[in-house]
Amino acid sequence: MVKRTLVVFWSIMALVLSACGQSAPSAPAPAPSGEQSTTAPALPTGEKLRLIIGTGGTGGVFFPYGGGLARILTEKMPNTEATAQETGGSVDNMKLLQNGEAQIGFTTADSAYDGINGLAAYQATGPVPAVTLAVLYQSFIHVVARADSGITSVADMKGRPVSIGSAGSSTETAALRLLEAAGLKPEDVIRENLGVADSVAAMKDKKIDAFFWIGGLPTAAVTDLVTTESVVFIDTSSLLKPMVDKYGPIYAATVLPGGTYKGTDQDVPGIGVANLLVVRQDMPADQVKGVLTTIFDNLEEVHQIHPAARTLSLETAVVGSSIPFHPAAIEFYKERGVWKE
């Protein structure tokens, strides 16, 4: 009986360790500086490196982008199994990294900055030991209102039902900052904490008059919304200066190009924020180089994942991070000739 119990115990422990994605032994050393490696560092035969990628909700860009990267890493990076995990977005992903429950995460630059400094949504949990692998693309801060609501500015939202994003998300943080820049307090609006897909559903049901969303262009859920509903995209460009004055240059002027969404033919000035692919500070150098080598040696395939992925290049990957890069990522970009001191 005791022997049988021990067998069951060790079987369970093996499954637990496997599910936790224990790192495989270190791969062979990368190519010396100045030599461009053409394949990802290999792991010992039979050993799999398991990577969980924190993404976002199904209606946004993080989810399909992360799913595509997981597929490419699994197919192209030797002895690697990558899995995309649906999450609430940036804050969830940073906290998953902090807890060791994910190895890679998508995050907006403002949430990454708050995370490593233990600010805003991270005050209770403390600083996150995260670093950047690559700057992926620029998001547009969507501020969308029903066309029949009479809302033409953020200030007009006073007393109205508005979704400010999922609780604890980077969208919520940006929404509260935009309300503040417009002279409103959080309690001045009837707040709903909904992700983009639920915000779209609520707007279709006329339960909210407006919503905020940080996302790449186009965002699938917003594309779906404008096929049946008449909406306006609010110009937030006048709120950029107070945002930058208080929170720094993690926010930048950008536009929603005309034609991105049905019914919006003219460019809409607004505010953008970069999106980062991040890992823990203690991710081994060979794993960092393996991930980056796989991504950039298969860049054409990465570009096919989503329209937002088409802007990724070696040159853009090193520009616009709000937090430090992993030392091995810096070494990788130096080897590829794009890192500037």
Side-chain angles (χ1 to χ4, degrees):
M1 182 66 182
V2 172
K3 182 177 180 181
R4 182 180 177 185
T5 301
L6 287 173
V7 170
V8 171
F9 172 79
W10 286 115
S11 297
I12 292 171
M13 287 300 295
L15 289 172
V16 169
L17 290 173
S18 175
C20 289
Q22 280 194 313
S23 299
S26 297
S33 180
E35 294 182 22
Q36 180 173 310
S37 57
T38 57
T39 59
L43 291 167
T45 303
E47 303 255 2
K48 275 194 180 290
L49 170 66
R50 289 179 172 81
L51 300 174
I52 294 176
I53 305 174
T55 62
T58 56
V61 175
F62 284 179
F63 183 75
Y65 204 153
L69 286 185
R71 176 182 54 79
I72 292 169
L73 290 171
T74 298
E75 292 177 356
K76 308 288 187 180
M77 186 170 167
N79 301 318
T80 298
E81 182 180 305
T83 305
Q85 180 173 325
E86 180 183 352
T87 71
S90 299
V91 175
D92 276 359
N93 297 338
M94 292 286 283
K95 290 181 178 179
L96 287 171
L97 288 182
Q98 184 176 39
N99 297 333
E101 296 176 32
Q103 288 70 50
I104 303 174
F106 284 70
T107 179
T108 54
D110 54 346
S111 192
Y113 178 85
D114 287 345
I116 70 166
N117 290 289
L119 304 173
Y122 305 93
Q123 287 181 337
T125 53
V128 180
V131 286
T132 296
L133 283 189
V135 179
L136 295 176
Y137 65 96
Q138 184 92 343
S139 273
F140 182 77
I141 304 180
H142 298 64
V143 185
V144 188
R146 292 187 57 84
D148 59 6
S149 69
I151 295 174
T152 60
S153 69
V154 173
D156 290 339
M157 294 180 183
K158 187 172 184 177
R160 310 296 283 274
V162 176
S163 172
I164 60 172
S166 301
S169 67
S170 58
T171 294
E172 181 185 47
T173 298
L176 294 175
R177 290 173 179 178
L178 282 166
L179 289 170
E180 177 188 44
L184 299 180
K185 299 176 181 177
E187 57 268 25
D188 287 337
V189 299
I190 302 170
R191 286 171 291 162
E192 297 286 347
N193 282 113
L194 305 173
V196 64
D198 289 337
S199 292
V200 165
M203 184 168 279
K204 287 182 176 181
D205 292 339
K206 298 181 172 56
K207 293 179 179 178
I208 60 172
D209 290 337
F211 68 84
F212 294 84
W213 163 247
I214 297 179
L217 300 174
T219 291
V222 181
T223 298
D224 172 64
L225 173 67
V226 299
T227 60
T228 60
E229 305 295 323
S230 180
V231 305
V232 292
F233 292 90
I234 306 299
D235 178 349
T236 59
S237 57
S238 64
L239 305 179
L240 177 60
K241 187 178 185 306
M243 293 268 284
V244 171
D245 286 348
K246 184 163 185 178
Y247 300 105
I250 51 180
Y251 300 105
T254 189
V255 297
L256 171 66
T260 301
Y261 297 114
K262 178 183 176 182
T264 305
D265 299 325
Q266 303 297 318
D267 289 355
V268 179
I271 298 172
V273 60
N275 295 279
L276 315 177
L277 194 65
V278 297
V279 297
R280 286 178 58 93
Q281 292 174 352
D282 57 6
M283 176 178 269
D286 61 302
Q287 293 180 19
V288 169
K289 286 197 168 186
V291 170
L292 289 174
T293 298
T294 304
I295 289 173
F296 287 102
D297 282 0
N298 297 279
L299 196 54
E300 288 187 9
E301 192 169 345
V302 172
H303 288 169
Q304 300 306 310
I305 294 172
H306 188 278
R310 295 173 190 162
T311 62
L312 179 63
S313 68
L314 281 165
E315 291 75 17
T316 61
V318 298
V319 179
S321 179
S322 58
I323 66 174
F325 279 76
H326 192 292
I330 294 174
E331 186 178 345
F332 170 84
Y333 290 121
K334 284 181 177 178
E335 291 171 359
R336 296 296 178 106
V338 296
W339 184 264
K340 294 178 174 59
E341 297 293 350

